[in-house]
Amino acid sequence: TTYPMVTGGSLVALKYAGGVLVGADTLAAYGSLARFEGVPRMKAVGVAEDTILAAGGDISDYQQMLKMIEAKANEEYAIDDGASMSPSALHHWLTRIMYQRRSKMDPLWNSVIVAGFREGQAYLGSTDLYGTMFEDNYIATGLGAHMALPMLRKAWRPDMTEAEATKLLTDCMRVLFYRDTRASAQFNIGKVDANGSAVAEPVMLETYWEHDEFIKGGGAPRRRLVVSSSVCAGPGRLAAGALLLLAERHREPRARDRRRWSGLAARNSAGRARARGPGGACVSGQVFSTASELTGLTSAAGGVAGHGDTQRTVTHTQSHTSHVLVHTRRHGGRSGVAQLDAPAH
C-alpha cells in the first residue's frame, strides 16, 4: 500500500516479571474521520500460539500480514515434526518480508509489535514499514513514541508485577486518548506468558475532563452562564432546554471574569436598547446561576414567532472549550452569532 486509507493508531507494549502486555485501541480511522469502532488490532499467531502480533497503520495491510502468517503456520503444521517458529524467528521472518515489500515500492504500511514467551523467556520487538527492527523491554509506536514512551521510561522496572504493568499500560492509553485525535477510549490488552497468549475483550478507559489545563484560558472552571453579547429573547424563543443543560454544567466564575462581564454589560448597553423588540426581554451582560432564571427568560419572550422580530436558538456547543455560540436570525433581515462566555464540558 502506498496510499493508506483505513488506519489504526498507536501501540504500547512492555515486559513484566513473567510475561508481556500489549495495548491497542479499537478505532480504525478513515483519513481524519473516526469511522470504525471495535476493530481489533492484535491477534495470537503461530502454531504454538505463544506469540501476539499487534499492528498500527493500514488495516488492510495488517489483515494481509495475518494471512501470510497463517499460511506459514499451516505449512509448519503440515510438516508435523513438532517444530514451530519462535517469537524471535517470526519477528525476523516478518521483518524480511516487510523489507522486501519496501524494496519493491509496495510496502506493508504498518508498524508492528511482536510479543511472545517461550522457554521461560519473554520476547518483545518491533518492525516498521521500512523493514527496520529492534527489541526492547518496552515499546510504543505512532504518537505513543512521543507521549507514552517517556512514561514507560520513568515507571518501568524489570520486576514489575502483572497488576503494575497493567496499570502503567492503562495510564499510557489514557494519555494517548486525551492527546491523540486518532485514539479511542476503548482498547484491548493482550498478554503472553508461560500459559500461552490471550487477547482480552475491549474495555473502556475511565477519563476525567475537569483538569484546569483542559479548559481554554486556564484557571478553574465556571458555573454561571453570562450572555456577553446583545442577545435578547424576542417572540422567537431562546431554546430553554439547551440553556438549562448549559446551566447545570457550569461552575463558579473567577473574579477577573466578573469584572470582564461587567465591562461587557456596560459596552453592550446601546446594543440592548436597539435590539429590544416588542415583548422581548434583553439579557445581554446578565449572569444566570440557576435553571429557573434561564427558563424565566424564555417565558418572558412569549408571543408568536415572526412579524420581523428576532429568533434565537442554540445551534452549537463546543465541548471542553470556553465558548458556546447562539445563532441569531431576523426574518427577512441580517443574521449573526452571539457568544455565551462560559465553558461547556
Side-chain angles (χ1 to χ4, degrees), residues 138 144 146-156 167-176:
Y138 45 82
H146 303 278
M147 295 291 183
L149 205 54
M151 299 174 62
L152 294 170
R153 287 171 179 158
K154 182 177 180 179
W156 184 84
K167 183 180 183 303
L168 177 56
L169 182 62
T170 302
D171 289 342
C172 291
M173 299 305 296
R174 183 179 295 109
V175 168
L176 288 173

Side-chain angles (χ1 to χ4, degrees), residues 288-331:
F288 300 93
S289 58
T290 64
S292 59
E293 294 181 22
L294 291 170
T295 53
L297 168 66
T298 59
S299 61
V304 180
H307 308 294
D309 294 306
T310 303
Q311 285 188 310
R312 290 162 182 83
T313 55
V314 176
T315 58
H316 176 69
T317 60
Q318 187 173 0
S319 298
H320 320 307
T321 63
S322 60
H323 302 304
V324 179
L325 300 182
V326 175
H327 183 74
T328 68
R329 179 174 299 279
R330 184 180 296 276
H331 289 284

Side-chain angles (χ1 to χ4, degrees), residues 69 148 168 173 177 195 199 244 248 268 293 316:
I69 295 173
L168 177 56
M173 299 305 296
F177 175 59
N195 297 319
V199 178
L244 177 60
E248 293 173 349
N268 288 331
E293 294 181 22
H316 176 69

Side-chain angles (χ1 to χ4, degrees), residues 159-188:
D159 61 344
M160 293 184 74
T161 65
E162 181 182 342
E164 291 173 332
T166 301
K167 183 180 183 303
L168 177 56
L169 182 62
T170 302
D171 289 342
C172 291
M173 299 305 296
R174 183 179 295 109
V175 168
L176 288 173
F177 175 59
Y178 283 146
R179 300 299 184 185
D180 189 356
T181 59
R182 304 293 187 275
S184 168
Q186 181 176 289
F187 73 107
N188 294 103

